[in-house]
Each structure stands twice: as structure tokens, then as C-alpha cells.
Amino acid sequence: PLPKGMWDLNSLRTLNLDHNQLDEIPDDFCLLTALTKLRLDSNNIDEMPESMHVRTNLKTLALDRNNLQDLPLKWRSMIRLTTLTLSRNDFELVPECVWSMAYLRILHVHFNSIPSIAPEIVQLAKLTELNYSANFLVEIPGYIKHLKHLTKFDISKNEIP
């Protein structure tokens, strides 16, 4: 478990907890009010706390290489996120809350089990980088053309004929 005194670090802006053995994130996490960048890659997390939605200052959130299947719907209010990485988890769909994150510029969902790019992707009009590689895509949908700022689009290692 994370030490209780950690929640008193009121000036903490960046926290990297990659490559630990964390299997849960306590609700006290929301006490880190200055946090803008959080890295939780390569842990054993299968569920994220709903209370993190109050962390509306977060700009970068990395959750790669965990055991996640979904994210809390209340995370829709995390509208300041610009980078979200969810690669190498157990997602079969991009979590619904992501479609409300209108300031996202980078979205990585590679190495999951996602069969298609949802039409809601066009709601992320500021995307510059989108990585759907190593999923189960069989087509590139026409509506992808509406992502006018996209400069990097990786759909390698899929099942597109």
C-alpha cells in the first residue's frame, strides 16, 4: 500500500508509480490537488477509483499494462486530460467516459481487444495522435476523416484486409 503521508504532498505535480505491484488506487488519491501528470503503468490494477474524477487538473494519465476492462463513467468530468494511454489492458471497447474528454490530443489503446473504432471518436476533435495498433480492427471507418488535427495514426497489427 501507498504510505498515508503521501496524501499531504499538496505541491506534487508529477507522480510516477510505474512498475510496482499496486493492485488498487485508494480514494485518498484525490487529495493530491496539484497533480497534473500521473503514471501507473505496469501494475496489477483492475479497477480505478471513481473518486479520481475530481482530479480535473490532470493533463496526462498513463494506465498501460494493467488489467483494466473499463473506467468509471464519472471520469467524463476529467475534461482537461490531453494525454490518455490505456494500452496493454483488457479493454474490448474504449471506455465511454473517454468520449467526453474533449481536450485529448493523444489517445493510445493499442494491444487490447477492441474490434472497431467507435463513431464517438469524432468527439475528440483535438486528437493529434491515435494508436489502435494490435487490436482486432477489420476496417478504417470513413468518419476518421473528421479528425482534422490527426498527425499520427497507428493501426498496424490489426486484421484489416
Side-chain angles (χ1 to χ4, degrees):
L2 298 169
K4 296 217 181 288
M6 184 173 188
W7 314 125
D8 296 328
L9 300 171
N10 296 328
S11 299
L12 191 65
R13 294 181 52 85
T14 299
L15 178 59
N16 188 331
L17 291 167
D18 289 354
H19 298 279
N20 281 289
Q21 299 298 315
L22 299 174
D23 54 13
E24 67 177 16
I25 302 301
D27 283 332
D28 289 344
F29 218 88
C30 67
L31 298 174
L32 299 174
T33 55
L35 203 62
T36 60
K37 183 175 184 178
L38 175 60
R39 297 195 55 87
L40 291 164
D41 294 349
S42 299
N43 281 286
N44 299 315
I45 303 165
D46 57 15
E47 189 173 43
M48 291 299 293
E50 191 174 88
S51 61
M52 273 189 69
H53 80 282
V54 300
R55 287 289 37 87
T56 55
N57 290 328
L58 267 183
K59 292 184 178 176
T60 300
L61 179 58
L63 298 171
D64 302 321
R65 294 181 185 262
N66 280 288
N67 305 312
L68 297 167
Q69 295 180 341
D70 204 0
L71 296 176
L73 191 56
K74 283 192 175 181
W75 281 26
R76 290 180 300 202
S77 64
M78 296 173 74
I79 58 171
R80 290 201 178 135
L81 268 183
T82 58
T83 301
L84 178 62
T85 62
L86 302 172
S87 301
R88 295 182 186 270
N89 276 287
D90 298 321
F91 292 107
E92 294 181 5
L93 296 169
V94 173
E96 187 178 336
C97 64
V98 172
W99 310 130
S100 297
M101 298 174 179
Y103 289 97
L104 270 185
R105 295 192 186 290
I106 298 171
L107 176 61
H108 289 187
V109 294
H110 53 287
F111 286 95
N112 278 291
S113 299
I114 302 171
S116 63
I117 299 174
E120 291 87 352
I121 194 80
V122 300
Q123 293 171 219
L124 305 179
K126 296 186 183 301
L127 275 182
T128 59
E129 184 175 315
L130 180 59
N131 190 333
Y132 263 86
S133 70
N135 276 286
F136 297 113
L137 302 181
V138 294
E139 68 176 353
I140 303 168
Y143 45 79
I144 211 79
K145 68 182 178 189
H146 297 293
L147 298 176
K148 301 289 187 196
H149 300 286
L150 202 60
T151 59
K152 184 176 180 185
F153 183 34
D154 188 347
I155 51 172
S156 62
K157 299 178 185 167
N158 274 286
E159 300 175 7
I160 300 169

